[in-house]
Amino acid sequence: MIIDFHTHPFVDENTNICSHKNYCNMTADNTFNNLKALGVVKICGSVIKLPFDKNADTWQQLKNANDIALGLKEKYGDFYQVGFHVHPDYVKESIDEIERMSKLGVKIVGELVPYLHGWSDYSCKAFGEIIEAAAHYNMLISFHSMDNDQMDKMVSEHKDAIFVAAHPGEYEDFMRHLARMKMSENYYLDLSGYGIFRHGMLRRGIDKMGVERFLFGSDYPTCNPAMYIGGVAEDFTLTAEEKQAVLYDNAARLLKL
Ligand SMILES: [Zn+2]
């Protein structure tokens, strides 16, 4: 059984962020069976609506994507853990959204994708206020990895917040993720996107920081989940217990399942 901590579920053309979607026959309906066939029993993450219109109301667009996520939750039930967007230009709205989502039982902020939504600094004061609110409601904060120094500042200033960074990246970025795990015991890394294809990367991370810090993620539908599952399940440097922890147990523990 696998929990995919990093996905972007979709309802239509505008929310399916796969670049090759016209060739994949993916729908909101067949997502469940397609992933279940790979052993995935739960997906987590935010809905991303494209194109993002920089001239239209930013918050309204994010709220709209968040509402689509809640609609998908109705459809998928236990299969889906909602993730939602916040934005440092909209601190009050973001904190209100955290409160609204918390009442609905939602546990994940993000994946946040600032590069798509017109912001860029995780270490800014406004985002810090949003982090404090998310921490207050015990939410996990899933975020797209960006500038390493800004991420260092964010993590060192918010040691109570539970962060799940997305994408190990290449060597230097991965080593910075490991260093950040030393700054806060509440810092985790999901394996989606760049990085896991480098052999020994995950083995090194587990040896240095412990297996509990790594969560399986694929970034479906923009990445091929089969490749990421293989990257963990077929990695001969990992023990069966370690695979189980990364593929399921660590996410289950953080999500309090
Ligand atoms: Zn990302």
Side-chain angles (χ1 to χ4, degrees), residues 34-130:
N34 287 344
L35 293 179
K36 193 171 152 229
L38 295 173
V40 176
V41 296
K42 195 180 291 293
I43 60 173
C44 308
S46 58
V47 167
I48 294 177
K49 203 156 186 279
L50 295 173
F52 188 75
D53 184 352
K54 293 212 162 84
N55 297 313
D57 185 323
T58 295
W59 181 251
Q60 202 49 53
Q61 291 179 87
L62 297 181
K63 181 105 174 171
N64 182 238
N66 293 348
D67 285 339
I68 292 171
L70 291 175
L72 274 167
K73 175 72 182 168
E74 299 266 301
K75 180 184 186 67
Y76 288 141
D78 281 348
F79 180 62
Y80 176 40
Q81 287 274 343
V82 171
F84 64 97
H85 300 288
V86 293
H87 195 301
D89 289 351
Y90 302 86
V91 172
K92 185 184 180 306
E93 291 87 343
S94 294
I95 293 173
D96 286 349
E97 189 72 336
I98 288 168
E99 287 173 0
R100 173 173 86 117
M101 289 290 184
S102 177
K103 284 193 187 115
L104 295 170
V106 173
K107 301 170 181 173
I108 304 168
V109 176
E111 183 201 12
L112 300 174
V113 285
Y115 65 100
L116 289 176
H117 294 154
W119 61 290
S120 60
D121 186 359
Y122 286 133
S123 64
C124 72
K125 190 169 165 288
F127 187 55
E129 290 180 43
I130 295 170

Side-chain angles (χ1 to χ4, degrees), residues 168-232:
E170 286 287 14
Y171 183 85
E172 195 194 330
D173 289 333
F174 180 65
M175 297 307 279
R176 294 287 295 263
H177 282 300
L178 298 188
R180 231 168 272 126
M181 288 175 189
K182 286 191 184 143
M183 292 177 196
S184 168
E185 60 185 22
N186 292 318
Y187 187 85
Y188 299 83
L189 177 63
D190 92 50
L191 301 170
S192 66
Y194 257 81
I196 196 173
F197 60 94
R198 296 300 183 195
H199 194 231
M201 183 213 79
L202 182 53
R203 179 73 263 161
R204 181 188 202 125
I206 291 171
D207 284 351
K208 291 284 175 198
M209 298 312 304
V211 71
E212 61 282 350
R213 298 295 190 108
F214 300 91
L215 274 60
F216 175 76
S218 71
D219 220 343
Y220 176 84
T222 191
C223 294
N224 181 349
M227 195 183 105
Y228 292 82
I229 292 169
V232 178

